[in-house]
Every structure is written in C-alpha cells, then in structure tokens.
Amino acid sequence: MVFFGGSGDLVTRKLLPSLYQCHKNNLLVGQGGIHCLGLEDYSQTEFVNFAREKARQFISGGEWDDAVWASFSRWLAYDRLDATQPEGYGVLQERLSRTLAEVNVFYLSTASFLFAPICENLARAGLIGANARVVLEKPMGHDLASSNAIAEAVSRYFLENQIYRIDHYLGKESVQNLIALRFGNTLFEPLWRREWIRNVQITIAEEVGIGTRSGFYDQAGALRDMVQNHLLQLLCFVAMEPPSSLKSSAVRDEKLKVLESLVEFSREDVYAKTVRGQYRPGISGGQPVGGYLEENDIPADSKTETFVAIKAEIANWRWAGVPFYLRTGKRMPERLAEIVINFRDVPHPIFPMTNGNTAHARLEIRLQPDEYIRLYFNAKPPGDTMELQQVYLDLNFAEKFKIRRPEGGYERLLLDVIRGNQALFVRQDEQEQAWRWVEPILNTWAADSTGPKTYTAGTWGPSAASALLSKDGFCWHEEE
C-alpha cells in the first residue's frame, strides 16, 4: 500500500492508526508493506518515530500496545517524493520490486489536482498493472466539469473496477447496520415508504470550527465538503430499493437510481428550499470562540457557508411527497451524525400524552460519536390513567456486541480495498450525478450577493433552518 501525501494529516491521524488496528487484530496477512511518500525530508527512523507519536494521539489508550506498534512499524517505509516529478518515481519502482505483494494499492491522500499527474507518472514508471488499485480522497473537483476532468484523467490509466472513491462515513458500523436492518428483516419493509413516513432528517454536525483548513475550506464550503458526498451517500442508503445481492454493482446500481430521482433545483427552488449560514462569535464547548471571519487567513468579506440545510425530494413511487431534510455545519452544539426516520401519526389519536404533546414514532440511527439504533414509540406507563409516554428500544452496538468496534470507518474500507470489494465505494456515475444535483445550488449562491445568514457559534444554525421545516408543518427532531 503506497500513500501519496504520506506524511500528511490524514495518513498519520487516520489511515496508519487504522492499519495498526487491522494488524493488531490479525487482519493484515501475507507479504506486503506500507510505503509513505511525502515532501518532508525524513529519514526512515525519523518518519517511524513521527508516525508513532501521531498515531498514539488518535488510538485510544487501551488499544495502544508498544509491542504491536514495533511489529507493525517494520512494514513502514518512507521516501521523499515530489509527486509531480517523473524522475522521482524510480525509488518507488525499486521499493515495489522488492516486495512479494500480489496487489499494489496507490492511495492518493493529496489535493485532487495532483491525481492526474500522479497516475501519469505511475504509468510512465510501469507501476500500473492489472492488479493495481487506486484510492481517491474527496473532494474530487469543485464542480461537475472539474470532477469529470479528474475522472477522465484517472480513467486513462485505471479501469473503473480499479478505482476506489472513498467516503469514510460508508465504513461506519451503523451505516452497514442500516443495510442489515432494511434488507435483513421484513419488519420495516412495509413501513419504509411514503404512506407511513412523514419525513427523513439526516444531520452531520461538527462542534469544531475550520481549524487549520482555512485554505481548503474557504474555497470549498460546507456544500462541497459535506453535502455532495457524505450526506447524499447516506440519503442513498436510506432511500434505495433492495439490491438483488450485496455485489458492488448491484448496490451501486440502486444508489444511482436514487441520485437520478432527486428533484433538480430551479433558481426559485434554491431560495425556497435551501439555507446557508456562517458562524459568528459564540460559545463552543463552554469556551468563547470567534466567528468564521475571524479565523486565520479567512478574507474579511468571505461568503463561504459553514452551514447548509436543504429540503430534498425524490420523484419515485416509494418516496414521492416525503421531504428529506439534510443538515450540516461547523460550530454546532455537539458533534454528531445521525439519520432520523419520522413515521406518520395514527389516523385518529385516542390517547392523551403525559406531557400534553403528541410524540411521533421515529427510528434514530446514530453514526457518531456513539453508534446505536433506537426505535421511539408510545407506551402506557404504570398507573391508573391511559396517558401515553414515549419510550424506546435501544440497540447499542458497544453494549450488545462485546467486541471492539472499528473507529471512523477507515479500517473496514482499507480492508475492502485490499480484498477488492467496491460495494461501499462511490462509482463514477454516482459521483457525476451528485455533482449535477448540487451544481444549481452552487451557481445560484454564487450569483447572490447577499451571502449566507449568520448564526451564533454553539447553536443549531440560522433560524431559517427551522423555518425551512416549519413551512411544511415539521421541525428538527431535537426541537420537538
């Protein structure tokens, strides 16, 4: 496995710790190695020590083992490489010639404008064989045209079945349990449709600000960074039809049908069905924090959105008329990712509620920080009245399954790349369709001089996000 950008934040904070865990659990077998390439001038020993210190920060205390790291680090190699210079690939060629690995995985943890030159230089060095695979990190371009240009450049050297467009949310246990819940049981299938579901809410909230990513984030914004990939992929798994099998082609065919069924936005739709926000100073994590415009290297007149809420609609028989509310933002009250399925009320309520309010049945699928599935419904508490109270059935993965759960999704996805399983990766036609749906929103916002609405750091975004649902007679479930 070869990491371009091998001394960068993603590799040292996420990918190497994930591979360490795979090694610790005896999931990496056979002959192979992990070769990191970067611009820093580390010696072999310096890089291993650097990687060790970074990894220890992101591996929970009970999971760290010095002896395991020592055996894992024997697989690590590092070389300085400018990925744009063809002459530098000789050292990689020489390294790979000494291994007995059956598959070479090239993981491009770099800016997407480097994808094309890296693939071209790998081809020139004769390193792309039939068993080579390439992993592409998001974002792939900044709009439909640039994404297609990158796809065309990479496809000159790799076939589609060799390309793995990674979305780490799809490696999370709860996403895979959503698939098992839907397609491994008959319980929910009769209810999983427009007749019984009021709305679907998908949220990815971050408590942190932009950190050190100002250069990237101010060019991307929340819509490109989170909606076009993570949120739309989660929507696909909620809304897709049952695939004929778990083969990657069958699963991805059904996801594509959902993306193709999303109702496209007119200019008027963008104003009526989307909200963009930007955080101003407030309290986050109990501490005062500055606003987005006060972050380092952010222009004082930046109109980049740090919050997005969208009402999406799917034009097919299963979902016609059911709104899908998508929401993501920085400087939210807490870090969480969740999918909430709100079911319809009974047609004629005959029971009072203990708090005087109607409580709606809902299925809550929490992706992070804890992973669980909860089914909320109404029940009668003990006593001599027939008032109802909301209760829930809880499947907490950590409590139910007394085995370690992979963190972050990368462990599962890295193993899938090695095994050649593409079911949880994004196919090019999916990528293209997602950009096609998002682009009218991008274009309308770019032409709107008013910019995003502001919201106080530590809150759930602008009030317009609540108004988006209240127009339909709904509210975000935490407001209920």
Side-chain angles (χ1 to χ4, degrees):
M1 184 168 283
V2 179
F3 290 112
F4 288 85
S7 56
D9 190 58
L10 178 64
V11 173
T12 55
R13 184 167 59 92
K14 294 288 188 182
L15 303 180
L16 290 184
S18 295
L19 288 173
Y20 161 88
Q21 295 285 13
C22 293
H23 172 69
K24 183 180 180 183
N25 290 285
N26 299 314
L27 297 172
L28 297 181
V29 297
Q31 301 294 321
I34 302 166
H35 191 185
C36 298
L37 303 169
L39 291 173
E40 285 74 13
D41 196 15
Y42 291 121
S43 69
Q44 178 70 15
T45 301
E46 288 172 338
F47 176 75
V48 170
N49 290 337
F50 165 74
R52 181 180 188 274
E53 292 310 307
K54 291 282 283 189
R56 285 197 69 166
Q57 299 175 38
F58 298 99
I59 296 174
S60 56
E63 296 291 333
W64 181 264
D65 187 305
D66 286 327
V68 173
W69 176 265
S71 65
F72 171 72
S73 65
R74 287 196 287 270
W75 283 0
L76 291 180
Y78 179 83
D79 280 303
R80 187 182 185 281
L81 175 73
D82 182 341
T84 64
Q85 302 302 312
E87 60 272 14
Y89 283 69
V91 65
L92 177 59
Q93 195 174 33
E94 194 270 335
R95 287 266 193 194
L96 296 183
S97 69
R98 298 203 306 263
T99 73
L100 299 175
E102 296 177 6
V103 175
N104 288 333
V105 176
F106 301 104
Y107 197 119
L108 309 193
S109 177
T110 67
S112 59
F113 69 84
L114 291 173
F115 291 177
I118 289 174
C119 292
E120 181 180 355
N121 289 331
L122 287 172
R124 284 181 178 177
L127 294 173
I128 302 179
N131 288 330
R133 295 165 193 164
V134 64
V135 183
L136 306 180
E137 266 289 344
K138 75 165 187 74
M140 273 152 278
H142 60 274
D143 58 14
L144 178 60
S146 59
S147 176
N148 285 347
I150 291 169
E152 182 183 355
V154 173
S155 66
R156 293 185 199 132
Y157 309 102
F158 291 91
L159 300 175
E160 180 63 30
N161 63 8
Q162 297 175 292
I163 301 172
Y164 293 72
R165 299 171 189 85
I166 197 165
D167 185 333
H168 68 275
Y169 274 87
L170 304 189
K172 292 180 180 293
E173 284 291 333
S174 41
V175 173
Q176 294 158 57
N177 259 294
L178 170 61
I179 302 172
L181 184 80
R182 285 200 59 196
F183 306 133
N185 302 282
T186 59
L187 177 64
F188 288 105
E189 173 56 26
L191 305 178
W192 212 264
R193 59 190 64 250
R194 61 186 302 274
E195 290 86 356
W196 304 111
I197 292 178
R198 303 165 71 234
N199 63 68
V200 178
Q201 300 176 16
I202 305 176
T203 298
I204 300 178
E206 298 179 276
E207 193 175 16
V208 299
I210 62 169
T212 60
R213 301 172 72 214
S214 57
F216 160 75
Y217 199 89
D218 201 56
Q219 296 297 315
L223 187 66
R224 290 184 177 94
D225 189 36
M226 300 297 289
V227 177
Q228 185 272 335
N229 38 70
H230 300 323
L231 282 162
L232 284 185
Q233 285 294 312
L234 294 179
L235 180 149
C236 285
F237 278 110
V238 172
M240 63 189 277
E241 294 298 316
S244 59
S245 71
L246 290 179
K247 291 181 180 178
S248 59
S249 58
V251 173
R252 298 197 292 183
D253 284 348
E254 297 303 335
K255 289 197 309 178
L256 178 62
K257 291 176 185 177
V258 174
L259 292 169
E260 290 176 335
S261 298
L262 283 169
V263 177
E264 294 184 5
F265 286 92
S266 66
R267 181 176 178 275
E268 292 73 22
D269 288 335
V270 173
Y271 285 110
K273 299 177 182 179
T274 73
V275 176
R276 56 175 169 156
Q278 186 184 91
Y279 63 84
R280 58 177 181 260
I283 304 295
S284 179
Q287 300 294 323
V289 295
Y292 180 74
L293 299 180
E294 298 170 282
E295 300 279 9
N296 291 334
D297 302 320
I298 297 298
D301 60 349
S302 174
K303 292 182 171 59
T304 298
E305 77 284 352
T306 63
F307 174 93
V308 175
I310 297 176
K311 175 185 176 180
E313 297 168 283
I314 300 174
N316 64 22
W317 276 38
R318 183 182 289 267
W319 295 113
V322 178
F324 282 70
Y325 298 108
L326 313 179
R327 176 177 58 168
T328 185
K330 299 281 190 182
R331 292 294 186 204
M332 300 277 98
E334 60 181 310
R335 170 180 172 262
L336 66 83
E338 65 181 10
I339 301 166
V340 179
I341 314 294
N342 288 304
F343 293 99
R344 295 190 182 277
D345 295 329
V346 295
H348 176 60
I350 59 175
F351 299 103
M353 295 296 295
T354 54
N355 59 6
N357 298 318
T358 300
H360 309 289
R362 72 179 187 270
L363 183 67
E364 190 174 302
I365 302 160
R366 181 65 62 92
L367 306 165
Q368 67 181 29
D370 302 318
E371 292 186 273
Y372 61 74
I373 295 176
R374 287 178 181 169
L375 177 62
Y376 289 81
F377 58 97
N378 298 319
K380 176 191 173 299
D384 61 353
T385 69
M386 284 301 291
E387 291 184 341
L388 301 186
Q389 180 177 311
Q390 191 167 69
V391 297
Y392 61 82
L393 300 175
D394 185 10
L395 170 57
N396 185 298
F397 300 128
E399 294 177 3
K400 178 62 179 177
F401 304 108
K402 304 296 184 181
I403 58 175
R404 179 187 166 271
R405 294 173 300 122
E407 297 179 12
Y410 278 110
E411 289 179 46
R412 167 65 186 269
L413 296 177
L414 287 169
L415 289 172
D416 277 356
V417 174
I418 294 169
R419 295 164 178 161
N421 182 6
Q422 291 186 305
L424 295 175
F425 295 82
V426 181
R427 202 166 59 191
Q428 172 54 26
D429 48 9
E430 292 180 68
Q431 178 86 359
E432 185 174 335
Q433 191 61 38
W435 274 117
R436 186 172 287 114
W437 185 75
V438 163
E439 198 158 66
I441 306 174
L442 288 170
N443 293 340
T444 302
W445 285 356
D448 182 4
S449 61
T450 60
K453 302 177 185 299
T454 61
Y455 63 97
T456 303
T459 67
W460 285 107
S463 59
S466 295
L468 180 68
L469 276 70
S470 66
K471 289 186 292 187
D472 298 331
F474 305 134
C475 64
W476 296 106
H477 81 89
E478 76 275 355
E479 299 173 338
E480 205 167 306

